[in-house]
Amino acid sequence: MTTQTGYAVHQIARPTGFPTADDFAYVRTPIPTPAPGTALVHNLLLSVDPYHRGLMDGGEGGFELGTPLEGRAVGRVVASRDPGLAEGDLVFHRRGWRTHALVTLGVDGTRRLRNHDGVPLEAYLSILGGTGLTAYAALTRTAALREGEDLFVSAAAGGVGTATGHIARLLGARRIIGSAGSAAKVAHLTGELGFDAAFDYHDGPVGEQLAQAAAAGGGGIDVYVDNVGGDHLEGAIDVLREFGRIAWVGAISMYNGDRSPAAPRNLFEVVHKSLRLEGVLVRHHTNLQDELEEFLVPHLRSGRIGTDTTVAQGFDHTVEAFLGMLHGDNLGKMLVRVEG
């Protein structure tokens, strides 16, 4: 990479099912010059997220073909004509999937990072970023987890899942159960992240495995943070206690196939048990960012919690990291470290 040339990832085809590398292209681009009111950022870390898969299908709000993709990123200001940003500032913004970007403070979520001492940069795209904010909103606002309650989280070894486990423990959850997609991930949840129980959803019906895990703690759960949908949601409805709450964050089981799956066969149990099911969109909770940081930064500094990231090295591994994330290759949040 030269000082005059940047690179971006373009989507060049609409995928059917799982995307492949052929759906993308790395494109050389001139590094832009900031106009009045903008700043040039050299990206340092990029986030690749499950929601990007839905945007790849196009339509309203989706990715356009032949243009740089958008995504969360952290970068350093290298030139500025924005009076609110100075050279050297670290910023969070949403013009990722490229090495350089023009941003404006306060536009499209662009903000100067508080740069807490002792907190690694990866935290701002994981537990202090959108994944952590999603988990925090799901637990404290949508599900209103109370001290002493029991929690189940699906895709528990992913970005939102690991953040949910950490935050729930700090909020005083009694037992935390997780599902994951491999024996290694299950061992990571119970051995490294402090989950009380975990299971591999490949090992048998999710509902049966969840019921068995819950029975070991006296039976039942109070809160379910759903990142999967499908059989996980059905199993959780069966095991939830009366007045239980479901914070539905995502449905990764449906991202690469049918987008209109059948409803859980036990959906009427929502009425019978007086359950509450509510969707969680992080963009409705950006007002919680400072609260999230005040809550978590002391624990990051002390080492009680970690960033839980898998980091691909080099911008030219962005597509590989995205595809790997969709196939479950990551532990925690999948990030790309831009070099050059």
Side-chain angles (χ1 to χ4, degrees):
M1 185 184 303
T2 71
T3 57
Q4 301 300 317
T5 303
Y7 295 86
V9 176
H10 289 197
Q11 183 185 341
I12 59 174
R14 302 289 182 203
T16 300
F18 271 97
T20 70
D22 293 337
D23 297 321
F24 304 90
Y26 289 92
V27 178
R28 182 176 297 182
T29 62
I31 293 178
T33 300
T38 69
L40 175 64
V41 171
H42 178 204
N43 286 331
L44 303 175
L45 285 171
L46 309 177
S47 176
V48 291
D49 296 285
Y51 78 85
H52 289 142
R53 173 60 189 88
L55 299 179
M56 290 185 67
D57 290 336
E60 185 177 357
F63 291 141
E64 296 182 10
L65 297 182
T67 60
L69 278 68
E70 304 289 335
R72 300 177 182 123
V74 166
R76 189 178 302 279
V77 176
V78 294
S80 180
R81 300 182 69 184
D82 182 334
L85 294 173
E87 291 184 24
D89 282 348
L90 288 171
V91 296
F92 168 92
H93 63 92
R94 297 184 181 276
R95 296 179 64 78
W97 295 70
R98 66 196 85 185
T99 58
H100 297 78
L102 290 177
V103 303
T104 298
L105 188 65
V107 175
D108 293 332
T110 299
R111 70 177 191 275
R112 187 189 305 105
L113 294 181
R114 296 170 68 181
N115 198 20
H116 301 283
D117 291 339
V119 174
L121 199 61
E122 290 85 354
Y124 296 98
L125 286 179
S126 57
I127 198 158
L128 296 183
T131 49
L133 189 60
T134 298
Y136 187 74
L139 289 170
T140 65
R141 298 318 197 262
T142 308
L145 178 73
R146 295 184 288 270
E147 186 174 357
E149 290 190 318
D150 297 324
L151 168 75
F152 170 50
V153 54
S154 53
V160 172
T162 55
T164 299
H166 284 311
I167 294 169
R169 186 66 74 199
L170 294 172
L171 291 171
R174 187 180 76 97
R175 295 189 79 244
I176 303 174
I177 302 168
S179 69
S182 71
K185 289 184 176 182
V186 168
H188 180 71
L189 291 174
T190 57
E192 301 295 329
L193 299 185
F195 278 63
D196 298 284
F199 60 87
D200 182 346
Y201 63 84
H202 295 106
D203 288 345
V206 169
E208 293 179 10
Q209 293 195 77
L210 175 57
Q212 182 177 0
I221 58 173
D222 302 290
V223 169
Y224 172 42
V225 175
D226 188 4
N227 295 296
V228 175
D231 56 354
H232 282 70
L233 178 57
E234 184 172 303
I237 289 173
D238 270 344
V239 175
L240 276 159
R241 299 181 177 116
E242 193 174 33
F243 303 111
R245 289 89 68 202
I246 302 166
W248 198 352
V249 173
I252 198 167
S253 65
M254 297 177 269
Y255 288 166
N256 297 288
D258 186 4
R259 299 302 178 86
S260 54
R265 292 167 296 181
N266 58 353
L267 191 59
F268 190 73
E269 289 298 300
V270 172
V271 177
H272 182 69
K273 295 182 179 180
S274 296
L275 306 179
R276 181 160 57 84
L277 187 157
E278 183 177 340
V280 184
L281 286 176
V282 69
R283 67 171 180 263
H284 296 151
H285 300 283
T286 55
N287 62 304
L288 300 178
Q289 183 66 42
D290 287 346
E291 181 181 321
L292 172 75
E293 294 185 24
E294 294 298 326
F295 180 64
L296 290 179
V297 164
H299 300 295
L300 283 163
R301 285 174 171 158
S302 72
R304 183 175 181 184
I305 62 174
T307 59
D308 298 304
T309 55
T310 298
V311 182
Q313 300 293 332
F315 181 75
D316 56 344
H317 291 285
T318 302
V319 171
E320 179 185 347
F322 174 63
L323 299 178
M325 177 274 301
L326 289 180
H327 286 281
D329 295 343
N330 54 301
L331 284 174
K333 182 75 190 70
M334 178 70 88
L335 302 176
V336 178
R337 188 181 303 281
V338 178
E339 298 173 345

